C-alpha cells in the first residue's frame, strides 16, 4: 500500500541539508547567523544582556510566552546585538519584515507563521520581527497583528522584535515582554558597530 507524504518546504530543506529558505519566506525574511562573533567595543553591557537572554531562551528556561523587544533609532545597534547573540549562542535569527505579513489575508498570514515556526523548530532559531511600527495599520490593528502572531506561536518558540519604539504593549496578556531600550549612537559609536559587523563578515567568509 503506497501513501503519499506531504512535507512543508521548511522540513524538506532540513531533511535534504539545504540552507535556503523556502520561497514563500525568502521574499520577506533574512537569516542572520554569525559564525564568529567579535566582541563589540560599544554596547558591551547590552551585548552581554542580549546574549544571556538568548542562552535562557534556547535552553528553555524562559521560553514560554516570552518576547524580547529591542528598541532604538536606526543605527543604534539593534540588529547587531541580535546577530551578535546568535553567533555567540549558535542559534540563527530569522529577520522578518512584518509589513509583508500585515498585507496578507488572515489565512495566508497563518500559513506563513506556520512556516516560520517550522523553520525555528528545525533550525533551533529565533524569529525576530521587524518594522511592526511601519506596518500600514492603525495602532489598534497593529496590536491585533502582534497578538495574532503571539497567539499563533503560543509560546512554543522564543521570539524577538526590533522596533524604533516600544509598541508591544500587551495589557492583560500573559506574554512576558523583555524590553531593552538602546540610546542613540554618536558617530564614533556607529563607526565601531560597523567595524565589528565588517570583522564578523570577514570571519564568516574566511
Amino acid at each position: 500500500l503506497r501513501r503519499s507524504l506531504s512535507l512543508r518546504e521548511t522540513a524538506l530543506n532540513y531533511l535534504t541539508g539545504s540552507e535556503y529558505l523556502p520561497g514563500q519566506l525568502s521574499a520577506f525574511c533574512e537569516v542572520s547567523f554569525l559564525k564568529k562573533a567579535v566582541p563589540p567595543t560599544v554596547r558591551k553591557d547590552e551585548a552581554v544582556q542580549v546574549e544571556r537572554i538568548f542562552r535562557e531562551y534556547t535552553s528553555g528556561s524562559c521560553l514560554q510566552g516570552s518576547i524580547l523587544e529591542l528598541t532604538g533609532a536606526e543605527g543604534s545597534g539593534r540588529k547587531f546585538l541580535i546577530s551578535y547573540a546568535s553567533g555567540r549562542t549558535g542559534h540563527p535569527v530569522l529577520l522578518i519584515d512584518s509589513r509583508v505579513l500585515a498585507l496578507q489575508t488572515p489565512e495566508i498570514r497563518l500559513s506563513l507563521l506556520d512556516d516560520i515556526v517550522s523553520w525555528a523548530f528545525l533550525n533551533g532559531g529565533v524569529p525576530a520581527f521587524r518594522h511592526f511600527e511601519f506596518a500600514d495599520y492603525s495602532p489598534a490593528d497593529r496590536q491585533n497583528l502582534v497578538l495574532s502572531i503571539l497567539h499563533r506561536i503560543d509560546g512554543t518558540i522564543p521570539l524577538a522584535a526590533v522596533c524604533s519604539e516600544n509598541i508591544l504593549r500587551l495589557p492583560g496578556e500573559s506574554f512576558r515582554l523583555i524590553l531593552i531600550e538602546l540610546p542613540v549612537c554618536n558617530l564614533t559609536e556607529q563607526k565601531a558597530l560597523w567595524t565589528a559587523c565588517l570583522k564578523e563578515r570577514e570571519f564568516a567568509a574566511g
Side-chain angles (χ1 to χ4, degrees):
L1 179 64
R2 293 184 177 180
R3 293 184 180 180
S4 61
L5 178 63
S6 177
L7 289 176
R8 283 190 172 272
E9 193 175 346
T10 45
L12 183 61
N13 286 350
Y14 176 79
L15 292 173
T16 58
S18 173
E19 296 183 353
Y20 293 104
L21 284 172
Q24 63 270 27
L25 292 186
S26 62
F28 67 101
C29 297
E30 169 195 354
V31 176
S32 178
F33 181 68
L34 303 172
K35 295 181 179 179
K36 294 285 186 178
V38 179
T41 57
V42 296
R43 296 284 189 259
K44 293 180 181 179
D45 293 341
E46 292 90 343
V48 170
Q49 185 179 8
V50 175
E51 180 187 341
R52 175 181 55 78
I53 292 169
F54 259 63
R55 291 193 185 282
E56 291 177 353
Y57 258 11
T58 50
S59 70
S61 60
C62 72
L63 175 72
Q64 190 67 32
S66 295
I67 180 167
L68 167 65
E69 182 185 15
L70 277 78
T71 67
E74 192 72 28
S76 60
R78 301 166 302 175
K79 182 179 175 181
F80 168 81
L81 289 173
I82 284 185
S83 299
Y84 173 79
S86 78
R88 292 283 294 175
T89 60
H91 294 274
V93 169
L94 186 66
L95 296 169
I96 303 159
D97 190 338
S98 303
R99 296 170 295 187
V100 176
L101 286 176
L103 296 174
Q104 308 306 314
T105 64
E107 293 78 13
I108 293 177
R109 186 185 306 144
L110 291 179
S111 177
L112 292 172
L113 288 173
D114 286 342
D115 283 328
I116 290 169
V117 171
S118 176
W119 176 89
F121 269 124
L122 293 172
N123 294 279
V126 179
F129 293 90
R130 306 175 69 197
H131 307 306
F132 270 136
E133 64 273 41
F134 299 120
D136 190 16
Y137 268 29
S138 68
D141 287 338
R142 188 171 59 196
Q143 286 296 88
N144 288 335
L145 171 64
V146 175
L147 289 174
S148 71
I149 291 171
L150 293 177
H151 283 296
R152 186 65 172 182
I153 293 176
D154 195 26
T156 53
I157 56 175
L159 294 173
V162 178
C163 307
S164 61
E165 58 183 304
N166 178 19
I167 64 168
L168 301 183
R169 301 178 182 89
L170 306 172
E173 293 294 330
S174 58
F175 302 102
R176 178 190 175 198
L177 176 63
I178 307 170
L179 176 64
I180 298 178
E181 297 176 289
L182 301 174
V184 176
C185 284
N186 58 38
L187 291 177
T188 302
E189 291 170 332
Q190 286 186 0
K191 182 179 178 181
L193 286 174
W194 275 108
T195 300
C197 289
L198 290 173
K199 284 182 179 179
E200 288 168 349
R201 289 185 182 276
E202 289 173 4
F203 276 121

